[in-house]
Amino acid sequence: MTTETMSDSGSSGGSGEGSRARGMGLAALRGLGLALVVLPGAVLCFVLSLVSIALIPIGVGIVTTPWVLTGVRIFADWRRVLAAEWCGVRIPSAYRPVPESANPWTRTFGMLRDPATWRDLRWLPVDMTAGFLTALLPAALLIYPLEGFALAAGLWRVFPDGYWYGFVPVTGQATALAAGALGLGLLFLAHFFTPRLLAAHFRLTRAVLASNQRELAERVKVLTDTRRDAVDTSAAELRRIERDLHDGAQARLVAMGMDLGTIEMLLDKDPEQAKRLLSQARQSSADALTELRELVRGIHPPVLAERGLGDAVRALALRMPVPTDVNVELSGRAEAPVESAAYFAVSEVLTNAVKHSGADRIWIDLHHAVDGGVEGAGMLRISVTDNGKGGAVIGAGSGLAGVERRLGTFDGVLAVSSPAGGPTMVTLEIPCALS
């Protein structure tokens, strides 16, 4: 089992032009990969949503709609994560929480009453049309000039009746060279605009998916629900602590007190029996102390309070039965409640991975992305990846719904990518500043 810490450092080596060329190629590759997923994914989600909602009157849609809309939300949340990681475009998620134990009727109409659901459904047709084109443009702007160079090199001879390259009619070597010049011009434009075109795709996504000022009441509703969940969670945690104290340490201390009373009576009558009871009382006190330490560690791990989130996650990884690699890039510490929420969220995700994924290796990446160039402000982003069998879904009894509620208290977001066969990647984001 290994842990690794990565420190913040600026990119080094290579000229500015080389970095720009790499950025151009990366943006084109990402755009092409995204376009290959956008069209089939958006069409599939849109068709399934329409069919499932249309089947509600006959009862079938009551069962299928929550699952279909959950899939749409996962697809939209995946795009939110890519927008933030690839282009720094933040698209807030404001879904109203649905009780995990709710029946299909309540879940269906609870999700249909959520304005965020209808934003998702409006976004899907935009994504399969304008979204597909804007995702494909970066790759097209980089690849299309290659056709002009090929025509200039002699490919025009394959088309005896002429060939149009852009607005240039290629009928001979002279016009083929003009096509090559046009390709060179397009490549020059691609050098500057390819990354911007990819960012434009995500800005289009944000324009449709993000809530606006008129939906402030919806945002207040989401915050009210998440705060209520936080209160319920705190009350449940207090009950757990009270139960553990009553059934564990308190019972041991009561038994130890009774033993000490018996020892007091036996000191003169039976010293040997008193010594045995003293040894038993000493063991009871040690057991009570161990239970109290475990209870305190469950409330707030000492390493988290003393050394911060990065070291606490490393310590957590070292206790995992599966080899776990940890990469940390933090220039400071978040507020204590944020660190606590992030720590226990990571702990729950790791527990799920160990219990259900069948993975033999786990990777944790923890870093803070500065937002808008403001020092300290930004987003705490944690990704937990395993090479298991996949199939993890929020709200399927995996504990991820509880993680989502915990993060929602801090306006955090949980996104899960877990195709059948794996790998599984769980991404947690919490807006916060570092001190």
Side-chain angles (χ1 to χ4, degrees), residues 9-248:
S9 62
S11 60
S12 60
S15 63
E17 290 299 320
S19 298
R20 184 174 294 174
R22 285 192 297 272
M24 175 181 65
L26 184 60
L29 185 62
R30 286 173 169 175
L32 180 60
L34 193 59
L36 295 177
V37 176
V38 162
L39 186 59
V43 171
L44 179 64
C45 288
F46 188 65
V47 171
L48 288 179
S49 298
L50 291 183
V51 171
S52 184
I53 293 173
L55 293 176
I56 288 178
I58 64 173
V60 177
I62 297 294
V63 178
T64 60
T65 299
W67 294 99
V68 172
L69 293 182
T70 298
V72 172
R73 292 183 176 188
I74 292 172
F75 185 64
D77 281 340
W78 170 71
R79 194 68 59 81
R80 290 183 174 97
V81 172
L82 292 186
E85 291 186 349
W86 287 359
C87 295
V89 177
R90 284 193 58 203
I91 308 174
S93 178
Y95 298 114
R96 293 177 182 174
V98 179
E100 189 173 347
S101 58
N103 58 50
W105 180 277
T106 302
R107 289 179 62 85
T108 296
F109 289 97
M111 297 178 82
L112 289 177
R113 283 193 296 267
D114 188 349
T117 297
W118 297 103
R119 281 200 304 272
D120 288 348
L121 296 180
R122 288 196 303 268
W123 165 67
L124 289 173
V126 176
D127 196 44
M128 71 178 71
T129 52
F132 172 75
L133 292 176
T134 52
L136 193 60
L137 272 177
L141 193 57
L142 184 62
I143 296 173
Y144 192 53
L146 302 181
E147 183 181 347
F149 299 153
L151 290 170
L155 184 64
W156 64 272
R157 294 185 176 88
V158 179
F159 307 99
D161 297 330
Y163 183 83
W164 282 88
Y165 178 74
F167 55 82
V168 177
V170 181
T171 56
Q173 187 61 51
T175 51
L177 292 175
L182 177 58
L184 186 62
L186 292 175
L187 188 61
F188 178 77
L189 292 177
H191 189 63
F192 292 99
F193 290 104
T194 298
R196 298 178 185 178
L197 288 172
L198 184 62
H201 166 83
F202 289 117
R203 290 194 184 96
L204 173 66
T205 302
R206 180 176 62 184
V208 184
L209 276 183
S211 58
N212 53 42
Q213 292 298 322
R214 290 177 298 176
E215 293 169 337
L216 182 60
E218 170 200 343
R219 183 61 180 154
V220 172
K221 176 69 166 59
V222 171
L223 292 176
T224 301
D225 290 342
T226 56
R227 271 31 172 203
R228 185 176 62 247
D229 288 337
V231 172
D232 293 343
T233 301
S234 297
E237 185 68 10
L238 287 174
R239 289 193 297 270
R240 181 189 70 82
I241 294 170
E242 182 181 10
R243 184 178 63 251
D244 290 347
L245 284 173
H246 182 272
D247 297 341

